[in-house]
Amino acid sequence: MTAQTYLAYDFPLLGAFWTMLFFFLWIMWFILLFRIVADIFRDDALNGWAKTGWLLFCILLPFLGVFVYVIARGRNMGRREVAQARSQQEAFDAYVREAAGGRSSSVDELARLSEIRDRGAITDEEFRRAKELVLSGHGPAEHSGSTPHTSGR
């Protein structure tokens, strides 16, 4: 009996499939490795020695190190990533508010006017007029920028 055995790689289409599968797994492996290294540095709960140990473990024995890390600490990887993304978004929002001119809202202006009135620095009549200006959009909230307004005439 001379039955010829065919391997999956003997067919060109299956060879391309296996090549693409191994290439995909290889890329996924590096993505996982980089995410774990980033998570090691992101985690504030780990001290320097623990970070060094995990990093050496993942670099010297990459397959075992990555699998052990995912099993031991993988549950909180997503939480740490979400917390970092949230803090970056808050920092960006604060920067945008600051770069937009630092204008205070009418609510802030009214609270400031109320504090000034409570201290007795302005009368009730002055408070009422200033409040009307703030609410109409012609008050200090509109002109609180750091650059003076000059006309080009």
Side-chain angles (χ1 to χ4, degrees):
M1 303 217 171
T2 61
Q4 190 175 9
T5 14
Y6 291 101
L7 299 174
Y9 206 76
D10 290 338
F11 298 98
L13 188 59
L14 288 176
F17 169 75
W18 286 111
T19 302
M20 293 300 290
L21 180 67
F22 286 131
F23 184 71
F24 175 75
L25 292 174
W26 184 68
I27 296 296
M28 289 302 297
W29 170 255
F30 277 107
I31 289 172
L32 181 62
L33 182 64
F34 291 143
R35 287 193 61 173
I36 286 177
V37 169
D39 187 62
I40 290 171
F41 285 109
R42 179 185 306 129
D43 190 8
D44 292 333
L46 291 176
N47 63 20
W49 289 106
K51 288 181 182 185
T52 303
W54 276 114
L55 195 59
L56 286 175
F57 190 37
C58 288
I59 290 174
L60 297 177
L61 297 170
F63 288 108
L64 184 62
V66 166
F67 290 138
V68 169
Y69 188 86
V70 168
I71 291 169
R73 302 184 46 83
R75 176 177 293 176
N76 293 325
M77 281 178 67
R79 291 183 190 141
R80 286 187 289 271
E81 189 169 348
V82 167
Q84 181 192 21
R86 189 172 291 137
S87 69
Q88 285 178 342
Q89 183 66 41
E90 290 169 0
F92 176 74
D93 291 344
Y95 171 74
V96 168
R97 278 192 297 276
E98 176 192 341
R103 293 184 182 165
S104 58
S105 69
S106 58
V107 174
D108 295 335
E109 290 291 329
L110 290 174
R112 216 173 304 143
L113 283 171
S114 178
E115 288 175 16
I116 294 171
R117 182 187 60 181
D118 291 344
R119 284 188 306 214
I122 60 174
T123 65
D124 286 338
E125 178 61 27
E126 291 170 327
F127 173 77
R128 187 186 58 74
R129 282 187 302 205
K131 182 173 103 173
E132 287 174 3
L133 283 174
V134 168
L135 291 177
S136 68
H138 295 42
E142 186 175 279
H143 302 294
S144 66
S146 60
T147 60
H149 297 286
T150 59
S151 64
R153 294 182 227 176

